[in-house]
Amino acid sequence: MIDIHKSLVEIMGDEHVSTGKEELYFYARDPGLMPAHEPDYVVAPETTEEVQKIVKLANKEKIPIVPMGAGMSLTGLIIPLKGGIVIDMKRMRRILEVNEKARYAIVEGGTSQGALKAYLDRNYPNLRHSIPDAPPTVTIAANVAIHGQGRLTQMYGFNSDMVSGLEVVLPTGEIAKIGSCSMSPSWFSKGPTLPDLSGLFLGWLGTTGIITKVGLKLYPKKKMRDVELFVTDREDLIPEILFRLTHTEMVEDITAWFQAKPLIFQGNHHVTLYITGDTDEELEFKRKMVWDSLKEFRDSKDGGFMWILPAMKPTFLDMPQRSVTTFADVKKGGGFEYSGPIALIEKYPVLARKLVELGAKFKVAYSGMARVIGRSHAMMFGIAFTFNRADPDMMERVRKALHEGITFAFDQGGIPWKPTVEEQKMAMERMDPNTLKLMKMIKENLDPNGIMNPGNWKVA
Amino acid sequence: MEYEEIVHRCFRCGYCKFTEDYHDINCPPYLKFGLDTYAAGGRMWLINAWLNHEIETSKHYAEILYLCNTCGNCKEHCVFTFKDDLLNIFEAAKAELVEKGLVPAAVKDYLQGIIANGNPYKEPQNKRGRWAEGTGIQPFSDQEFLFYVGDAGSYDESGKKMAVSVGSILSEGGLSIGILGSKEKCDGNDVKALGETGLFAKLAEENIRLFKEIGVKKIITLDPHAFNAFTKEYPKLGGKFKVWHYTQVLAMLVKDKKIPLSGYELKVTYHDACYLGRHNEIYDPPREILSAIPGLVFAEMKRNRKNSLCCGGGGGNFMTDVSGLGKDSSSRIRVREALETGAEILAVACPICYKMLDDAVKEEGAEEKVKVQDIAEIVHQAIRS
Amino acid sequence: MYTLKFDENLCATCQTSDCLVKCQFMDMESEAAHREMMKIVKGEYSSVLHDCKTCYACEEYCPRGNHPFYLITERREEKGMLTASRAITNQWINMCEPQGKYKVGEIKGKALSCCFIGELRRFARGKLFEDLRSSYILGPEFFCEVVYLHFAKPSIIKERLPKVIENIKQLGIKQLICMHDECYGSFTSLAPAYGMEVPFEPIHYFEYLFEKLTDLKGQIRPLKMKAAYQRPCSSRLSPDKYHFVGKIFDLIGVEMVKREYQEENALCCGEVLRMVAGYEVANEVQKKNIDDMVLSKAEYCVFNCPYCEMALSEKVSKKGIKPIHIIDLCKMAIGEK
């Protein structure tokens, strides 16, 4: 009978392996609402080779493994539903390479968004990546693995669309290179023009392998960045507003959002949009295009641009935006969770109305937000509630509100984003049976022993 | 437990782990172990679990709490409104363990040393002022300033060296200073940080009584930890004195040209001590001193000022050595950072930083490349040159 | 119910119609101006109701004190006309709604009003304010409400301003130093125009500053600088206090540069214009104003209103002109900055 703990210590050293009650407690849960489930071991490897050894051991002994970044998906994706080994990837946090002319970076499986941003700011000030508003600790690998979105999503798609290569440790322990890096020293493509195998690992919630390296596309960073805020009291106008803004092709990120408090936001829908430029002329030209694109709404008084006071601007220009995180403490309770279905933008009004209804029905504080994906190809509609962690009744009400919200979103033709186990089941119930068959086939072939984050994307 | 109504509000978002621009991880125990339980968010969640009886007191729980260096990086960079109470919460949680007698052995040892000997070195009280022999620095009677040296300055080898260089430079600068010598007692700053609030109160009250009895009005401290205690905690117990850290006074003397500086042609980088910098926002005086020295080339480390990486000696770890000196210890990382600047001297303003970084230089095998010196030592060198 | 004290006859017999003839945004001869004004008086539609940019200047231009701009605002609301969008209008109505979150210091008979602008509280430091710093009011409960003129919502003013006045009265304040120019205009022009009694003496902070500086004359080191003065829209409600700017400047050794857009011809900061009239108008006004400052070789642009300061500071800085609030300028003169 193999001593798993001893084997893990041999791989990583005893400082980075724990079976302590404290680690088991902490890594059994995330800051969202999903029920906890303890792992048996928590480890923090530093190299791909260490990860490989852990996976081989787990595969041999049929122990579940759950890779995790910062654990901020809030939907329980890193909760080890069947126990086993939680692999905290964050010690693997180096930035390995930046190819300035080809505009890509290669980072490790635990490199944080914040570290990459800071590194680029200091060393490549003309390059940026699509940073999400999640806390800066969230990892690049986890973010692309769950098809996250960021500040460049309106321009270039999901953050996973910006992957330019992967190194993965397969559930059976092999290390595979995905994309151009599989046959070239350069990481400029995640698949095309080879068969695109990245799809085997992106969106699978850690059930098909562990990403140990990510190639990530970088984009031009202009010297100046500014923000405009268009406000309307008519949610039904939002789709058209977003359509016209995206038509200009002048805008960086576009989000539409609404919340009941504070009073300054009450009753209105806000479209925050960012423009960038290397010169005043470029910036002002883009600003003019943006203002002109919404002239009809301004003239009819259906909407107008808000004066963002200098004291407010840093909050909007912050990357990541800290106010997204501090929403968690609105109820002085350190909790928030959201469902973020991806849907057609034309569904914004009906989803917005639903969210307000849910807030009233369940007496919970809400915040609604939609991030435009691509040129209005879709939106991520965030159904977010904040709760007090010390109030179990409030937490239960939020759970119910989220369930009702996501069900409604699916009814409106939406698809889930970083779904909870329950949401995964709901999605699979609605899915084409052949699609499900394909998913099952892929999982069973890649992970014959079913060790990778079991319980997730569990096709019946 | 005091502050327990706040503990559940932590979102474990991790802002607390980083520097301001997210460039580096800046929490020493998290750097070393790489497990979230060792960062501020982990500690908060564990304290909350302990309060809710979801976990029990254990050796590991105590170890996690006592591994905190109280460097204040979490307090500086947390985005929530309760950030200013983070260290208070950790202290309160430790106080709970102290009350139950469940502290790690090394911490118990430290505290017992202070109870029995008045210092954690377990050295006799009457040896306390011996560092001053041959310096000409007199016992305090009616001088303008009390030069308060502290435990490290009285007993640790590097600390004593620092005490001599600081004491003599202040005298040379024309200041009227006196010391307590064998009457000096532990300031209690780290005792409080370890959760022994009762012992801290006793030490503080004794010190305040003594200072008042002998007519102390103005104090210059060697150690930023003492500076912190005297400025932040002692006034709450009735001890209101005018307090400076020695670098503040030395900066004034240099500015007023009371100390003639010839030159010191070396490249120097400066390590911001947590209790001088982050805790008390004193960043400029040491830099002003260094900038005033002809020929000295000053180079900032990547992590500086409020983003300084703690040497790992705070929270009593300087004596308890709970975290050890592995390659991921913050003191060794700090030395590597100093080496990156090309500096030949790593300047410090705290005897605890001095000891921690000096040991780390040796562990890194970098004695030929960089030397640790305190600000006053550098000024001495600049005079002699 | 408060109604605007407006005398039809004064308009009907006005020979100059200066209110509209002098308007910087409408090009009208006297006859046309009189005609349009009479339409407004009679409650009919006039192009003025659409074209007025809410700069307040006609309140000053009217030689008979007959409140043409307040009338335009009333007519707009009667006709359901908006200046800014509905959403922005509602935003401002919500933003300044009293919610029980305010600050009151240790009130003596004399107190500082900081409106609901935190910046004004921060200004109130140093020798110029040492006697009064602790006696202050700050918060929406003490907000002057004048901004709703920009949004054509006099109903909000009529609803909230009496309560503000009552709140101040309840605190026993006899003399109120208005740190916000607009507050002074509210209590000395707007409130009386609607028949609201003001049971305390509003004092413009310019007057207070001038007195204090005179007391501290021995400590003044002349600044020897050239400055442009940015006159806020609200200053049109209290033109009798404008001369204090020149007096303060003289006392502290600042030369007010001669420029085209000053005094009666001054241009507003333009940011509210952006909300009510659009991007191009606002930019044009700001450009004219700042180019004028540059042409007149101003080294500093001195602000009275914190909102003007927020609107223009960065823009004047880009043109090499240093922005500064008049209170900070005075502090500089007595060696405090």
Side-chain angles (χ1 to χ4, degrees):
Chain A
M1 178 82 167
I2 187 169
D3 184 333
I4 305 293
H5 184 239
K6 187 166 170 233
S7 305
L8 291 170
V9 167
E10 273 163 18
I11 298 169
M12 277 159 293
D14 64 5
E15 283 174 349
H16 310 299
V17 176
S18 180
T19 52
K21 281 274 163 229
E22 291 74 15
E23 277 72 41
L24 300 187
Y25 173 86
F26 187 89
Y27 285 89
R29 43 189 43 79
D30 77 4
L33 288 164
M34 295 301 112
H37 193 285
E38 285 191 356
D40 298 293
Y41 311 91
V42 177
V43 300
E46 204 181 20
T47 63
T48 299
E49 291 64 40
E50 285 178 3
V51 173
Q52 184 183 37
K53 285 177 185 168
I54 297 165
V55 173
K56 282 183 169 170
L57 171 69
N59 202 32
K60 185 168 170 245
E61 301 299 322
K62 299 193 182 23
I63 304 172
I65 48 181
V66 179
M68 79 171 265
M72 296 303 291
S73 70
L74 307 181
T75 48
L77 299 177
I78 49 87
I79 293 175
L81 299 170
K82 309 284 181 194
I85 307 170
V86 166
I87 306 178
D88 185 336
M89 298 293 290
K90 299 194 291 294
R91 281 185 73 226
M92 292 176 65
R93 56 174 179 257
R94 293 179 299 160
I95 294 161
L96 299 171
E97 182 188 328
V98 171
N99 185 325
E100 187 184 0
K101 296 300 180 196
R103 293 197 178 100
Y104 68 77
I106 308 172
V107 301
E108 288 191 306
T111 304
S112 68
Q113 301 281 355
L116 180 60
K117 177 182 183 291
Y119 184 81
L120 293 174
D121 285 347
R122 283 188 190 197
N123 301 292
Y124 297 94
N126 56 342
L127 294 176
R128 60 186 293 203
H129 76 291
S130 182
I131 192 166
D133 279 320
T137 43
V138 309
T139 62
I140 302 211
N143 183 259
V144 301
I146 60 167
H147 294 303
Q149 307 99 48
R151 288 291 175 191
L152 300 179
T153 287
Q154 188 271 143
M155 293 169 81
Y156 305 113
F158 291 96
N159 286 358
S160 44
D161 291 327
M162 303 174 202
V163 169
S164 68
L166 295 170
E167 176 193 86
V168 293
V169 176
L170 300 178
T172 39
E174 297 90 346
I175 299 173
K177 291 256 174 58
I178 308 294
S180 61
C181 61
S182 65
M183 57 172 285
S184 157
S186 307
W187 289 53
F188 56 83
S189 170
K190 68 174 162 80
T193 48
L194 300 168
D196 192 350
L197 299 175
S198 64
L200 293 173
F201 305 101
L202 300 174
W204 288 85
L205 310 179
T207 57
T208 53
I210 300 178
I211 297 172
T212 47
K213 289 190 180 66
V214 183
L216 191 70
K217 288 182 187 172
L218 305 175
Y219 296 90
K221 183 178 173 195
K222 304 280 182 151
K223 293 190 179 109
M224 294 179 282
R225 185 168 180 259
D226 202 1
V227 58
E228 290 280 358
L229 191 58
F230 191 76
V231 188
T232 177
D233 55 352
R234 287 181 53 188
E235 73 260 6
D236 56 304
L237 295 179
I238 292 290
E240 186 61 24
I241 289 168
L242 298 180
F243 188 71
R244 293 197 195 185
L245 284 171
T246 47
H247 179 83
T248 65
E249 294 195 307
M250 293 282 125
V251 188
E252 180 217 76
D253 189 24
I254 309 176
T255 55
W257 52 275
F258 59 99
Q259 54 194 68
K261 299 264 174 79
L263 268 187
I264 186 177
F265 299 140
Q266 195 180 77
N268 283 335
H269 291 258
H270 311 78
V271 177
T272 309
L273 57 103
Y274 296 85
I275 50 175
T276 59
D278 276 331
T279 59
D280 281 334
E281 287 76 17
E282 186 181 351
L283 207 60
E284 292 315 308
F285 175 76
K286 287 182 177 176
R287 198 190 309 278
K288 182 175 174 4
M289 293 295 104
V290 160
W291 275 67
D292 287 350
S293 72
L294 301 180
K295 186 172 187 306
E296 187 190 309
F297 303 106
R298 291 189 286 119
D299 287 347
S300 65
K301 309 295 181 192
D302 279 325
F305 283 95
M306 178 177 151
W307 180 12
I308 305 176
L309 298 178
M312 286 169 74
K313 261 205 190 171
T315 303
F316 285 103
L317 293 173
D318 210 7
M319 282 197 285
Q321 206 169 311
R322 274 166 244 226
S323 55
V324 168
T325 295
T326 56
F327 178 66
D329 204 36
V330 161
K331 289 292 174 190
K332 301 275 184 281
F336 105 83
E337 185 163 333
Y338 69 106
S339 274
I342 311 296
L344 288 179
I345 290 176
E346 70 188 43
K347 299 293 179 184
Y348 179 96
V350 74
L351 288 171
R353 283 192 286 272
K354 184 65 179 174
L355 179 54
V356 174
E357 184 195 301
L358 290 173
K361 179 176 173 182
F362 292 101
K363 295 187 185 28
V364 286
Y366 68 85
S367 172
M369 178 264 216
R371 170 168 263 136
V372 175
I373 298 168
R375 300 290 193 230
S376 284
H377 299 123
M379 66 176 177
M380 184 285 291
F381 189 89
I383 303 167
F385 301 101
T386 179
F387 56 87
N388 186 334
R389 210 177 290 287
D391 186 340
D393 180 66
M394 188 188 290
M395 287 169 73
E396 185 53 30
R397 298 201 309 274
V398 167
R399 272 190 206 100
K400 287 181 175 158
L402 282 167
H403 177 79
E404 201 175 307
I406 196 69
T407 307
F408 184 79
F410 287 171
D411 290 342
Q412 296 297 317
I415 62 173
W417 175 41
K418 54 182 177 109
T420 62
V421 166
E422 197 199 347
E423 288 168 10
Q424 292 167 35
K425 285 193 187 118
M426 287 163 64
M428 288 189 290
E429 276 161 15
R430 293 165 186 251
M431 214 177 261
D432 180 284
N434 286 330
T435 312
L436 279 176
K437 252 193 205 166
L438 185 56
M439 280 176 68
K440 188 171 180 182
M441 182 194 75
I442 289 168
K443 275 193 76 185
E444 282 174 355
N445 276 279
L446 278 174
D447 184 18
N449 290 320
I451 61 168
M452 293 301 308
N453 207 3
N456 285 282
W457 284 135
K458 193 173 171 191
V459 183
Chain B
M1 185 187 99
E2 219 185 331
Y3 304 101
E4 71 174 73
E5 70 284 358
I6 300 174
V7 183
H8 71 282
R9 290 166 63 184
C10 171
F11 190 48
R12 56 190 259 188
C13 57
Y15 272 95
C16 51
K17 293 174 183 168
F18 275 122
T19 50
E20 188 179 20
D21 68 350
Y22 322 124
H23 199 268
D24 292 287
I25 299 289
N26 222 30
C27 169
Y30 180 70
L31 269 172
K32 188 169 160 64
F33 294 93
L35 294 171
D36 286 335
T37 38
Y38 291 87
R43 255 174 260 128
M44 289 285 273
W45 276 59
L46 291 178
I47 295 169
N48 192 45
W50 184 84
L51 286 168
N52 293 332
H53 308 291
E54 289 175 286
I55 60 169
E56 287 168 7
T57 320
S58 72
K59 192 168 158 229
H60 188 45
Y61 174 71
E63 201 177 64
I64 288 174
L65 288 186
Y66 279 97
L67 271 163
C68 169
N69 295 125
T70 69
C71 74
N73 186 73
C74 49
K75 184 175 140 170
E76 187 68 51
H77 297 119
C78 173
V79 296
F80 290 99
T81 52
F82 51 77
K83 60 194 282 211
D84 288 339
D85 282 322
L86 282 173
L87 294 181
N88 296 334
I89 291 167
F90 302 149
E91 197 179 283
K94 283 181 249 180
E96 295 283 314
L97 294 183
V98 166
E99 211 179 301
K100 291 173 169 53
L102 293 165
V103 301
V107 173
K108 206 173 190 173
D109 208 37
Y110 176 100
L111 294 170
Q112 278 172 347
I114 293 180
I115 293 168
N117 305 90
N119 67 81
Y121 296 87
K122 299 181 185 165
E123 294 278 354
Q125 184 69 20
N126 60 19
K127 272 192 178 176
R128 194 150 178 131
R130 292 220 183 139
W131 64 269
E133 281 168 7
T135 63
I137 299 171
Q138 298 298 310
F140 184 86
S141 52
D142 59 359
Q143 293 92 332
E144 190 182 355
F145 297 96
L146 168 66
F147 177 39
Y148 179 89
V149 162
D151 294 339
S154 301
Y155 295 106
D156 178 78
E157 282 313 307
S158 339
K160 284 191 283 187
K161 210 165 79 163
M162 251 183 93
V164 168
S165 67
V166 172
S168 54
I169 205 93
L170 292 177
S171 301
E172 279 173 49
L175 290 190
S176 156
I177 61 167
I179 55 169
L180 290 173
S182 59
K183 288 191 196 153
E184 192 185 87
K185 286 208 163 86
C186 173
D187 54 77
N189 189 73
D190 286 5
V191 169
K192 184 171 185 293
L194 290 168
E196 237 294 12
T197 46
L199 177 57
F200 166 73
K202 180 171 177 291
L203 288 166
E205 279 157 9
E206 282 170 4
N207 278 328
I208 291 167
R209 194 165 40 245
L210 174 65
F211 293 172
K212 283 181 175 173
E213 260 167 33
I214 61 177
V216 171
K217 300 264 186 301
K218 296 178 181 176
I219 309 174
I220 300 172
T221 73
L222 175 73
D223 186 344
H225 293 233
F227 176 86
N228 188 69
F230 293 162
T231 51
K232 293 233 173 93
E233 303 301 332
Y234 278 39
K236 296 175 196 168
L237 298 167
K240 291 187 175 130
F241 309 97
K242 284 197 174 140
V243 188
W244 294 264
H245 181 257
Y246 83 83
T247 51
Q248 293 176 293
V249 178
L250 192 49
M252 285 191 281
L253 292 175
V254 165
K255 189 175 169 207
D256 294 342
K257 302 211 188 316
K258 297 272 173 64
I259 297 173
L261 299 168
S262 307
Y264 193 39
E265 289 187 5
L266 283 178
K267 196 171 188 184
V268 178
T269 189
Y270 171 67
H271 167 78
D272 288 281
C274 301
Y275 276 100
L276 196 59
R278 259 191 303 269
H279 284 280
N280 289 289
E281 296 177 76
I282 296 169
Y283 300 110
D284 291 327
R287 289 173 170 82
E288 285 163 12
I289 295 164
L290 295 171
S291 305
I293 297 175
L296 187 149
V297 173
F298 180 70
E300 286 279 13
M301 283 186 273
K302 263 191 327 194
R303 282 177 274 198
N304 58 72
R305 293 175 179 261
K306 64 180 175 183
N307 295 300
S308 175
L309 174 64
C310 177
C311 69
N317 190 53
F318 162 61
M319 286 299 297
T320 61
D321 196 26
V322 183
S323 59
L325 255 187
K327 77 163 176 51
D328 292 327
S329 67
S330 61
S331 53
R332 286 181 62 177
I333 295 173
R334 195 59 163 158
V335 165
R336 295 198 287 269
E337 202 173 338
L339 289 169
E340 273 172 28
T341 66
E344 297 147 285
I345 302 287
L346 171 49
V348 296
C350 168
I352 288 168
C353 296
Y354 198 133
K355 170 79 177 153
M356 294 299 293
L357 294 172
D358 201 39
D359 285 350
V361 165
K362 294 179 181 104
E363 284 295 310
E364 285 287 306
E367 294 103 305
E368 300 300 314
K369 294 183 188 155
V370 72
K371 204 169 153 196
V372 177
Q373 280 187 337
D374 91 270
I375 298 279
E377 260 183 283
I378 294 171
V379 171
H380 272 293
Q381 298 286 346
I383 294 171
R384 278 194 218 112
S385 314
Chain C
M1 190 56 194
Y2 295 99
T3 51
L4 180 63
K5 287 181 175 177
F6 169 77
D7 187 338
E8 270 193 42
N9 268 329
L10 286 179
C11 274
T13 57
C14 180
Q15 298 300 307
T16 59
S17 299
D18 277 348
C19 52
L20 296 179
V21 167
K22 286 185 175 178
C23 175
Q24 293 165 311
F25 298 100
M26 288 181 269
D27 193 10
M28 280 197 203
E29 302 291 338
S30 180
E31 218 178 287
H34 191 263
R35 199 169 45 242
E36 293 303 318
M37 204 55 210
M38 288 317 295
K39 283 183 192 170
I40 295 170
V41 167
K42 289 176 186 149
E44 293 164 11
Y45 176 78
S46 159
S47 60
V48 170
L49 296 179
H50 184 264
D51 294 338
C52 165
K53 301 288 187 278
T54 76
C55 75
Y56 301 5
C58 49
E59 281 293 308
E60 183 180 28
Y61 296 154
C62 173
R64 297 175 162 196
N66 208 26
H67 303 304
F69 177 57
Y70 298 166
L71 182 67
I72 289 169
T73 309
E74 283 285 334
R75 293 293 183 251
R76 276 171 156 166
E77 188 165 37
E78 281 164 20
K79 294 182 181 323
M81 291 175 74
L82 291 172
T83 51
S85 69
R86 237 173 9 257
I88 298 289
T89 303
N90 286 336
Q91 189 183 72
W92 277 82
I93 293 172
N94 287 340
M95 200 161 93
C96 306
E97 189 182 303
Q99 291 178 78
K101 287 180 187 163
Y102 58 86
K103 287 184 184 170
V104 172
E106 293 164 33
I107 300 294
K108 304 161 192 172
K110 211 171 185 173
L112 296 172
S113 164
C114 303
C115 194
F116 85 128
I117 304 170
E119 193 62 22
L120 293 174
R121 175 85 189 118
R122 281 187 285 281
F123 276 140
R125 286 177 210 273
K127 285 183 210 144
L128 294 167
F129 297 96
E130 60 192 354
D131 300 334
L132 268 188
R133 173 161 171 80
S134 59
S135 174
Y136 75 98
I137 54 177
L138 167 67
E141 276 71 4
F142 310 110
F143 176 54
C144 54
E145 316 294 341
V146 174
V147 76
Y148 297 114
L149 294 171
H150 285 301
F151 296 110
K153 289 288 175 194
S155 57
I156 301 289
I157 297 170
K158 285 180 257 186
E159 180 197 321
R160 293 184 186 174
L161 189 54
K163 290 179 194 164
V164 168
I165 292 170
E166 181 62 26
N167 289 341
I168 295 169
K169 181 186 168 193
Q170 291 290 337
L171 291 171
I173 294 170
K174 301 282 181 274
Q175 286 180 310
L176 189 69
I177 317 292
C178 301
M179 297 282 280
H180 189 206
D181 185 287
E182 204 155 273
C183 290
Y184 183 81
S186 180
F187 300 128
T188 55
S189 169
L190 188 56
Y194 280 94
M196 295 175 203
E197 263 195 55
V198 178
F200 50 83
E201 184 194 350
I203 297 173
H204 197 289
Y205 80 98
F206 278 176
E207 198 169 342
Y208 171 83
L209 274 181
F210 181 71
E211 258 180 51
K212 275 287 173 193
L213 284 169
T214 307
D215 290 343
L216 297 169
K217 202 164 182 178
Q219 292 177 39
I220 296 175
R221 296 279 168 273
L223 294 173
K224 293 182 190 165
M225 61 168 68
K226 293 177 189 226
Y229 170 64
Q230 172 54 35
R231 193 178 178 205
C233 53
S234 56
S235 163
R236 305 289 192 169
L237 308 185
S238 55
D240 55 315
K241 298 299 172 189
Y242 177 77
H243 71 283
F244 277 109
V245 180
K247 285 175 91 165
I248 289 170
F249 276 25
D250 286 343
L251 204 49
I252 61 176
V254 173
E255 180 195 328
M256 195 186 316
V257 295
K258 297 251 176 307
R259 61 191 193 104
E260 189 182 342
Y261 299 112
Q262 64 184 16
E263 289 161 12
E264 210 186 58
N265 206 27
L267 286 172
C268 75
C269 72
E271 276 313 308
V272 172
L273 235 57
R274 199 182 297 280
M275 284 193 279
V276 310
Y279 171 87
E280 291 93 347
V281 175
N283 281 356
E284 196 190 317
V285 162
Q286 288 180 343
K287 186 176 188 316
K288 271 177 14 189
N289 196 2
I290 297 172
D291 284 351
D292 189 33
M293 292 183 203
V294 171
L295 209 60
S296 57
K297 297 198 183 358
E299 297 164 275
Y300 281 81
C301 174
V302 178
F303 293 98
N304 171 355
C305 166
Y307 281 90
C308 293
E309 196 176 5
M310 284 189 260
L312 293 178
S313 281
E314 198 184 318
K315 290 175 183 173
V316 304
S317 295
K318 278 186 176 169
K319 295 287 186 181
I321 298 173
K322 300 187 198 61
I324 189 164
H325 192 276
I326 194 167
I327 293 176
D328 280 340
L329 193 71
C330 295
K331 286 179 182 172
M332 244 166 97
I334 56 169
E336 275 185 1
K337 273 215 141 341

